Every structure is written in C-alpha cells, then in structure tokens.
C-alpha cells in the first residue's frame, strides 16, 4: 500500500507536529537553507565570544588532509557543503570521528523505499548545517535526543549513503539498474568474514569532528527511519592526531594513508574514482563511486612481540618517520627501479608496485582506526575500518588484494567484515534526493 511521506514518517515514530519541524529544520517554511544560514550567523557570534570554538584545520604532508586532529568537543568544525555532483564524505577532508552503520531495508515496496531515501536526504541536509531542535511541548517526546545540547552544531558532519547489491533483488524492481561491478564482497584466502558483520542493503558513513556528533546523527536517522530499515552492523572509528607530524598512525604504530591518488585533480578522479559516462555503467550512476568497506582486525598482542626490524620490513617503511626504507621522509616516493631486490614482500610494494601495468588499479583510501573492547577469546578487539573508493572494484581493489594474498602481514591482520557498496551520486539542487535517478530509471 502506498503511503505519503507524512504517513511514512509518522509510522516510523515521528509525530505529525514534528514532521516538518524535526526533519525539515527549525526554519519551517523558510527551508533548511535559511536555518543553516541563521545558525551559521549564531556560530560566528559564539566564536567571537569564544575563539576556542573556531576550527583549526591541519594538513597532512601527503595524502588526504586531516581536519582538526587536536579538536575536542568544544572545537566544532564548520559545515561541509552538501550539494554537488558527488556526495560529501568521500574526497572531503576526513574529520577525527566516524560511525559506519549497515542496514537491512525493510520498506514494504518501492514507494516506501522512495520515502526512506527522501527521509535520509532530509537528515543529510538538516544535520550538517546545524540547527536548533524545536520544542514540541511537555506532553510530547523531545524532537531530538539532546546529546549535543540545545544547539546541534554542524561540526563538519557528513552523511554518505551507499547501497549494497542485495537492494537490487526482486523486492523493489531495481535489478536491471544494478551498478555493473556491485556484488557481494569477495572473501579472500586470508579473510575470516563474520556474516553478522558483513553486507547490508545500505551503508551510512557518518563522519564528524567529535564522536558525539556522529553518534547523534546515527540516533537521529535511526529514529526517523524506523520501520523502513534496521541496523545490521555498526562500528565507530577514529583518526589519531599526527604524532609528531604528517600522516596519522594506525594500531600497528605506522603512519597510514601516506600515498593516495591526487583525486583533487579531475583527470585522476575521473580515471580512478568516479563513475563517468562511457564505461558501461547505468546512466543514473554517473557521479557515484564504489565503496569497499573492510573491517580489518589487528592482532596487536602478537604484533607487539615482533622485532622493529621485522615490522619495518613487512610494511616497507620506518616506523618513526613513515619514510620508505632507505629514504629520509614520508613524502619521498619509493623508487623500485633503483631498488629492484627488496624487500619484495613489503606491504607497500605489493599494494602499489608503481609500474605502468598497475597504475589503473590504484585506489583512494580513507581509513579509520577502531577499538571495540575484547573478543570472545579475551584478546583486544581493535583494527582498521579500511575504506577504498574506486571506479571499478574488480580492476582496482580486487586486483590489489590479489597481490596481497599470502603477504607476511597476514599473520597479524584478519579481515572480519564489511562489504561492497555503491556510494550514490551527489545532490544536484535543493529539490534533489538520494537515489532519485535510480528509482526514476527503474520506473
């Protein structure tokens, strides 16, 4: 049975009085853009009184820039622009905190799926702009969880929406529009994938300057979409500040994300990152990208017993500086032509041999560390939420992963979950919503 948007949101637990106020912003008929402008002016006024609230972005020496790595809850980041040909949260400078949540979509039909995607779009418009939750009266549930206080600061929040291959089954009539390379995530010989932490119809990558901002956004979205999608798995991540400078470090103690394609260059991005016209993809997918999310557990208790020399040989870099072995700076690229003998099994060499035949398999990485307590065996449960964005999963991520099968590092890292997703194209204007092109093409 088809239901309109107001009915859909009411069924998912959002009262009628708060449909326009809660999801469309405190500005009501003036629109979310006016609310963001008002809150931006208020933020400027607060910053004038409290300079500590002004973000101070810091650049890495190589790879993607890292936003506000030393910022705490009082150092809120500026709003990230939402509209454009591509979604925010992909080439956007990664802020320190993230939440990854995969969902099973339980919407009853295509009309309900449409309303779900529009509700996600509403949340993606409202939350990153900052807003003041409306007061609905003492007899009604609060319109917001209140975990950010009376004002929802923008804090660099991005909500990036990806869809999995299972959404293209026969439930919604989307099968013919499935992106060409979107499949279930391949299991490689060294993987130990947990089905409960793998896959999903839809993935939300929520990034922000502070963990509470990301978690608040997840709670807000879960509240206003309940009845249409249900969380399948979730994991929070963080990026450590540079120590002492340059790229941040992972749980192995090594700098991570040093060598990345320069996707700010449109020529490189259109070759390696974005889906473009003329490569055999459905027309609606232009502007999107394939998102490989891999939860990689790090066996830190074992790694910490390995000699520093052996660790560096396995990685291919010095641990203290991040420099390639035999060089003096993390920004100096390896020269395998003058060093043809070794270490041939180093992770960085297998991942990117830097030869013409592997140039087209490069991927854009945007990883986050995670710490999830202990596992069932009493071991520390921590590792890397590995995110790779690319134009073609088979040509890029899978080709790279095949080169890494059997590398020495496999004794210390184990992929345990994640999935393949397609990050939808961006929003063209204020009337656009995530997935509109997909559902229009499937009509």
């Amino acid at each position: 049975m088809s239901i309109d948007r107001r009915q859909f949101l009411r069924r998912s637990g959002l009262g009628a009085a708060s449909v326009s106020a809660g999801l469309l912003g405190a500005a009501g008929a003036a629109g979310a853009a006016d609310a963001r402008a008002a809150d931006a002016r208020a933020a400027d006024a607060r910053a004038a009184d409290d300079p500590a609230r002004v973000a101070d972005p810091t650049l890495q020496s190589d790879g993607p820039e890292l936003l506000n790595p030393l910022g705490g809850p009082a150092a809120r980041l500026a709003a990230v622009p939402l509209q454009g040909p591509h979604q925010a949260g992909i080439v956007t400078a990664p802020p320190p905190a993230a939440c990854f949540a995969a969902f099973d979509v339980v919407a009853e039909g295509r009309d309900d799926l449409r309303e779900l995607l529009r509700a996600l779009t509403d949340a993606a418009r409202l939350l990153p702009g900052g807003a003041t939750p409306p007061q609905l009266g003492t007899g009604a549930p609060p319109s917001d969880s209140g975990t950010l206080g009376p004002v929802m600061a923008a804090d660099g929040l991005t909500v990036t929406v990806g869809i999995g291959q299972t959404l293209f089954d026969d439930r919604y009539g989307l099968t013919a529009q499935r992106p060409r390379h979107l499949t279930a995530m391949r299991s490689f010989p060294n993987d130990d994938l947990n089905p409960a932490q793998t896959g999903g119809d839809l993935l939300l990558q929520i990034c922000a300057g502070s963990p509470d901002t990301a978690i608040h956004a997840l709670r807000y979205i879960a509240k206003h979409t309940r009845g249409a999608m249900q969380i399948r798995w979730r994991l929070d991540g963080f990026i450590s500040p540079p120590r002492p400078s340059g790229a941040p470090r992972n749980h192995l103690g090594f700098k991570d994300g040093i060598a990345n394609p320069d996707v700010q260059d449109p020529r490189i991005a259109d070759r390696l990152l974005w889906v473009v016209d003329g490569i055999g993809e459905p027309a609606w997918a232009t502007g999107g990208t394939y998102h490989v999310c891999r939860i990689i557990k790090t066996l830190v208790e074992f790694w910490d017993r390995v000699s520093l020399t052996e660790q560096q040989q396995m990685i291919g870099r010095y641990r203290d500086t991040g420099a390639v072995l035999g060089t003096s700076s993390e920004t100096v690229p390896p020269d395998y032509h003058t060093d043809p003998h070794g270490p041939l099994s180093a992770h960085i060499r297998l991942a990117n041999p830097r030869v013409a035949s592997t140039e087209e398999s490069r991927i854009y990485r945007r990883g986050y560390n995670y710490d999830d307590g202990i596992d069932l065996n009493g071991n520390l449960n921590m590792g890397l939420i590995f995110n790779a964005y690319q134009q073609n999963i088979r040509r890029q991520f899978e080709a790279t992963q095949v080169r890494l099968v059997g590398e020495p590092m496999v004794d210390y890292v184990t992929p345990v979950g994640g999935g393949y997703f397609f990050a939808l194209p961006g929003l063209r204007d204020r009337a656009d919503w995530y997935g509109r092109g997909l559902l229009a093409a499937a009509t």
Side-chain angles (χ1 to χ4, degrees):
M1 180 179 66
S2 175
I3 57 176
D4 66 25
R5 191 178 187 192
R6 189 178 300 266
Q7 290 173 319
F8 175 84
L9 295 172
R10 187 182 298 115
R11 185 186 69 180
S12 63
L14 186 61
S18 64
V19 169
S20 61
L23 268 179
L24 300 181
D34 294 335
R36 289 195 295 270
D39 286 312
R41 290 191 296 271
D44 290 342
R46 290 192 299 270
D49 293 333
D50 184 5
R53 294 182 65 89
V54 180
D56 180 19
T58 301
L59 298 180
Q60 292 180 202
S61 58
D62 195 10
E65 64 179 85
L66 175 66
L67 280 180
N68 198 25
L70 302 179
R76 301 297 188 184
L77 300 176
V80 176
L82 181 66
Q83 289 174 192
H86 317 296
Q87 284 196 72
I90 299 173
V91 297
T92 311
C99 175
F100 296 83
F103 294 79
D104 293 324
V105 174
V106 294
E108 294 179 0
R110 190 186 295 179
D111 288 342
D112 284 3
L113 175 63
R114 178 182 295 106
E115 298 311 319
L116 167 63
L117 293 171
R118 295 188 66 163
L120 285 175
T121 306
D122 286 338
R125 290 188 189 280
L126 170 68
L127 293 168
T132 301
Q135 299 298 320
L136 303 181
T138 56
S143 63
D144 181 68
S145 65
T147 58
L148 297 183
V151 176
M152 300 186 296
D155 201 18
L157 179 72
T158 57
V159 179
T160 307
V161 182
I163 51 178
Q165 59 95 18
T166 50
L167 195 68
F168 293 88
D169 58 18
D170 58 3
R171 286 175 292 168
Y172 306 112
L174 304 178
T175 303
Q177 296 301 322
R178 180 176 61 84
R180 181 180 177 187
H181 303 289
L182 187 60
T183 64
M185 187 169 69
R186 178 177 172 183
S187 181
F188 291 88
N190 307 118
D191 294 358
D192 186 20
L193 301 181
N194 176 5
Q197 207 171 17
T198 304
D201 292 329
L202 185 146
L203 178 73
L204 295 183
Q205 174 193 273
I206 304 172
C207 301
S210 305
D212 60 343
T213 305
I215 294 170
H216 169 269
L218 177 63
R219 287 181 61 180
Y220 187 95
I221 291 170
K223 173 184 177 181
H224 295 315
T225 58
R226 189 166 181 81
M229 65 180 189
Q230 182 66 43
I231 293 180
R232 179 182 179 88
W233 57 263
R234 170 218 166 179
L235 192 60
D236 296 341
F238 63 92
I239 298 178
S240 300
R243 307 181 190 277
S245 61
R249 296 179 186 270
N250 57 31
H251 286 307
L252 300 177
F254 283 78
K255 295 187 176 186
D256 199 2
I258 293 176
N260 243 345
D262 180 12
V263 293
Q264 300 299 332
D265 183 334
R267 296 169 300 176
I268 295 176
D270 286 348
R271 196 178 83 243
L272 298 179
L273 179 58
W274 306 121
V275 166
V276 296
D277 293 335
I279 62 172
E281 294 284 5
W284 70 264
T286 298
T289 183
Y290 288 95
H291 178 187
V292 174
C293 179
R294 297 260 285 179
I295 303 171
I296 303 176
K297 183 177 180 180
T298 303
L299 308 180
V300 292
E301 291 97 337
F302 298 97
W303 179 257
D304 291 343
R305 298 188 183 104
V306 177
S307 73
L308 178 60
T309 298
E310 188 177 352
Q311 288 182 1
Q312 293 178 156
Q313 290 285 321
M314 282 190 278
I315 299 292
R317 294 183 181 273
Y318 295 116
R319 192 176 72 170
D320 57 351
T321 65
V324 174
L325 298 182
T327 67
S328 58
S329 170
E330 70 178 83
T331 60
V332 176
D335 184 358
Y336 298 140
H337 297 289
T338 58
D339 176 26
H341 302 295
L344 298 177
S345 61
H347 178 81
I348 65 168
R349 189 163 189 166
L350 293 173
N352 183 8
R354 297 178 184 265
V355 296
S357 60
T358 61
E359 174 62 25
E360 295 302 305
S361 68
R362 297 181 69 195
I363 52 179
Y364 176 70
R365 292 168 295 133
R366 199 173 188 265
Y368 279 82
N369 298 324
Y370 76 86
D371 181 355
D372 198 28
I374 58 174
D375 63 18
L376 294 177
N377 297 316
N379 296 316
L380 294 171
N381 188 5
M382 56 178 56
L384 178 71
I385 307 173
F386 172 88
N387 297 287
Y389 304 88
Q390 62 258 284
Q391 187 181 83
N392 183 323
I393 290 179
R394 182 177 300 175
R395 187 189 85 212
Q396 295 172 263
F397 169 75
E398 291 188 349
T400 300
Q401 199 63 32
V402 166
R403 292 195 296 267
L404 293 171
V405 169
E407 65 166 325
M409 286 284 294
V410 300
D411 291 333
Y412 307 98
V413 296
T414 303
V416 295
Y420 291 170
F421 300 91
F422 187 79
L424 296 169
L427 301 173
R428 295 174 296 180
D429 50 46
R430 288 183 59 190
D432 201 4
W433 44 275
Y434 291 129
R436 184 173 70 171
L438 166 60
L439 266 65
T443 302

